[in-house]
Amino acid sequence: MPLKEPILTKRIPTPPWGDPRHRKLVTIDQFLQTGGYAALRKALTMAPKAVVDLVKTSELRGLGGAGFPAGMKWSFLPPEDGQRRFLAVNSDESEPGTFKDRLILDYDPHLLLEGVAICMHACRLDTTYVYIRGEYHAQAHTLQHAIEEAYQHRIFGPGSILGSINGRDPHCYIHRGAGAYVCGEETALLESLEGKRGWPRIKPPFPAVAGAFARPTIINNVETLSMVGPIVDRGPDWFKSLGKGRPPGAPPSLPASFGPKLFGVSGHVSRPGVYEEELGIKLSALVHNYCGGIRSGKRFKAAIPGGISMGVLGPDQFDAELDFDIGKKYGCLGLGTAGVIVMDEDTDMVAVARNIARFFAHESCGQCTPCREGTGWMYKTLCRIEAGQGTSYDLDLLLELAGSMGAMPGTTICGLADGANWAVTTIINKFRSEFETRVRPRRYVSLPLAAAPD
């Protein structure tokens, strides 16, 4: 069932509700005139724990890739001790194919800042750092201007409507990243925030206990925090009326796929862009109803459902439902960031695999040997196959190599190697014949035994 009204794109003209050519930056005055910060005022009438419980009841899941329940993450914080407590906003958005958060940063940054302020009140956090991708130059300036407007209206700073938190005035700052993909991983983000090399940390301790500067820290994505305001304003029952619930007979402990979602669609479609729909929409419906179908009337061949680390959907999976259970049902890693990359019938899947492997080999931080060496060897092997110099043995070697690296088999600290693993594995498994036509069969030759010495 299609979404009846825009939620996150309420003030950003987006098809089918508005024309993108009419988009403009929403100032704080325009934000207030359209109901902005009403959710914050409502949250301030509630006890902090009540706000946490409300978000927990809504079953809002992280919309930046991992899908971990946001309210549950908030509840992991230890009791206040009068010392610093931080909120780190993950606005790195370096996953290839992902550009959904950029839409909010470009046009409606106060939607994010309202969610930030509610989270600071609910979790008793006195300082927020928005860690923004280094290449987002214009977005950083736009967000900085919005933060200055928020200070002028006493959302943050001395005399803030949030009041004193841990004996301190609440503050919000921007931290510019330096372009490393691995800093999208939350603990690498914290290392970079502290001025160190962006290397993922071994966990535990988890950030909620010892995060930025060894203090309790909540890390949430831009879209996740932007959804908090509408949930507080309309209630968890409204949120759970959207999206896709649990499968029949599933236990309550199984997280559902409630709510709307921003889908960033690129690739071989007639109208690429960011579209808002309920979780659970079919890929084919998203492509045909919002993106104008496959470009030039060609046939669908494959799609990456959520950024390149999630793997690929095959030609028979065009009707895949885009929800958090997509990995189990369709043999990929998950929904990820919902950065959908569509590929038509003319796409060379060997070249796709090689290009993805090149990215991961370049972006590996080098801390873990299986990732540092494995991604490089995967890239070299795929280059050899693409050039027609590989053998059938290389395909088996690639799958063996991919299956032995990553946090899931327990050989690396973070999931970058898992992304490389799933991307290459799913492409080879679902398009094996295309790879086999590019390699030479390996022949085993029996050599005569040497004569025994006299």
Side-chain angles (χ1 to χ4, degrees):
M1 187 174 181
L3 191 66
K4 295 179 180 178
E5 60 175 331
I7 310 301
L8 294 172
T9 57
K10 173 182 176 181
R11 302 172 187 87
I12 308 172
T14 303
W17 300 285
D19 189 335
R21 292 175 296 181
H22 298 155
R23 289 174 179 170
K24 60 182 180 179
L25 175 63
V26 178
T27 65
I28 193 167
D29 291 332
Q30 295 165 336
F31 189 70
L32 290 167
Q33 291 168 6
T34 53
Y37 288 114
L40 173 59
R41 291 192 293 271
K42 180 179 178 180
L44 292 175
T45 65
M46 304 166 61
K49 186 178 184 304
V51 180
V52 173
D53 290 341
L54 185 148
V55 175
K56 199 171 181 179
T57 302
S58 73
E59 300 186 48
L60 169 66
R61 297 176 68 171
L63 302 175
F68 191 84
M72 185 179 296
K73 180 184 285 189
W74 291 8
S75 69
F76 290 159
L77 284 168
E80 292 180 78
D81 58 3
Q83 301 301 311
R84 305 295 296 272
R85 290 154 68 95
F86 299 99
L87 170 62
V89 182
N90 190 340
S91 184
D92 193 56
E93 199 165 42
S94 297
E95 177 83 359
T98 306
F99 48 93
K100 62 181 180 62
D101 291 343
R102 180 175 175 174
L103 185 73
I104 295 172
L105 298 172
D106 271 331
Y107 299 107
D108 200 3
H110 285 285
L111 181 65
L112 166 63
L113 296 181
E114 183 174 30
V116 165
I118 293 172
C119 181
M120 292 178 75
H121 166 67
C123 299
R124 310 308 297 154
L125 312 173
D126 51 77
T127 305
T128 292
Y129 292 103
V130 182
Y131 187 98
I132 192 167
R133 180 178 177 178
E135 294 88 344
Y136 275 5
H137 304 290
Q139 291 72 28
H141 290 300
T142 299
L143 183 58
Q144 181 60 46
H145 179 68
I147 290 174
E148 291 169 1
E149 289 182 320
Y151 269 86
Q152 292 168 6
H153 284 72
R154 297 189 306 110
I155 306 300
F156 307 113
S160 165
I161 61 176
L162 292 174
S164 175
I165 302 178
N166 297 318
R168 298 173 178 84
D169 294 323
H171 286 285
C172 182
Y173 307 103
I174 289 180
H175 184 94
R176 301 285 296 275
Y181 165 73
V182 75
C183 289
E185 196 276 337
E186 60 180 23
T187 59
L189 182 154
L190 294 177
E191 289 288 292
S192 178
L193 183 64
E194 294 176 3
K196 305 171 188 174
R197 178 185 296 183
W199 272 13
R201 298 176 180 174
I202 295 175
K203 300 179 284 289
F206 292 94
V209 176
F213 311 104
R215 294 297 303 161
T217 305
I218 291 295
I219 307 172
N220 280 138
N221 166 261
V222 167
E223 187 183 356
T224 308
L225 288 167
S226 298
M227 185 58 72
V228 169
I231 289 174
V232 171
D233 185 37
R234 303 192 188 195
D237 290 338
W238 161 80
F239 183 75
K240 293 166 81 169
S241 70
L242 304 173
K244 188 176 179 184
R246 297 174 186 79
S253 59
L254 179 69
S257 297
F258 294 126
K261 182 79 180 71
L262 294 179
F263 296 92
V265 189
S266 59
H268 301 151
V269 293
S270 298
R271 189 172 60 234
V274 178
Y275 302 97
E276 184 176 11
E277 248 300 346
E278 295 186 37
L279 282 163
I281 184 175
K282 290 183 177 181
L283 173 61
S284 56
L286 182 67
V287 169
H288 289 303
N289 299 344
Y290 290 88
C291 305
I294 305 294
R295 189 178 62 189
S296 303
K298 295 183 179 179
R299 291 178 296 175
F300 170 83
K301 182 174 185 178
I304 292 168
I308 62 171
S309 61
M310 294 297 108
V312 69
L313 296 171
D316 59 340
Q317 297 175 330
F318 195 27
D319 288 328
E321 296 171 321
L322 300 175
D323 58 41
F324 287 111
D325 293 323
I326 189 172
K328 298 176 184 177
K329 295 182 290 187
Y330 300 101
C332 55
L333 187 55
L335 181 64
T337 60
V340 180
I341 305 174
V342 179
M343 291 167 264
D344 67 22
E345 58 189 314
D346 296 331
T347 305
D348 181 349
M349 298 308 295
V350 177
V352 170
R354 184 263 307 155
N355 197 35
I356 290 175
R358 179 196 62 83
F359 173 81
F360 284 114
H362 180 268
E363 292 295 339
S364 172
C365 74
Q367 183 176 190
C368 305
T369 303
C371 179
R372 181 184 67 246
E373 300 298 326
T375 54
W377 279 109
M378 286 171 65
Y379 173 56
K380 292 175 184 177
T381 304
L382 284 164
C383 284
R384 185 164 66 244
I385 292 173
E386 186 181 23
Q389 299 171 355
T391 69
S392 56
Y393 174 73
D394 288 322
L395 296 182
D396 297 328
L397 182 64
L398 270 174
L399 293 176
E400 181 181 351
L401 177 63
S404 62
M405 54 186 256
M408 295 172 74
T411 60
T412 63
I413 294 173
C414 86
L416 186 146
D418 292 299
N421 169 358
W422 279 85
V424 171
T425 299
T426 57
I427 292 174
I428 292 177
N429 285 340
K430 295 180 181 181
F431 297 92
R432 178 93 187 196
S433 61
E434 196 164 327
F435 283 81
E436 290 176 342
T437 60
R438 303 282 278 273
V439 299
R440 303 187 308 275
R442 186 186 185 195
R443 294 183 175 86
Y444 295 87
V445 179
S446 299
L447 297 177
L449 294 175
D454 294 333

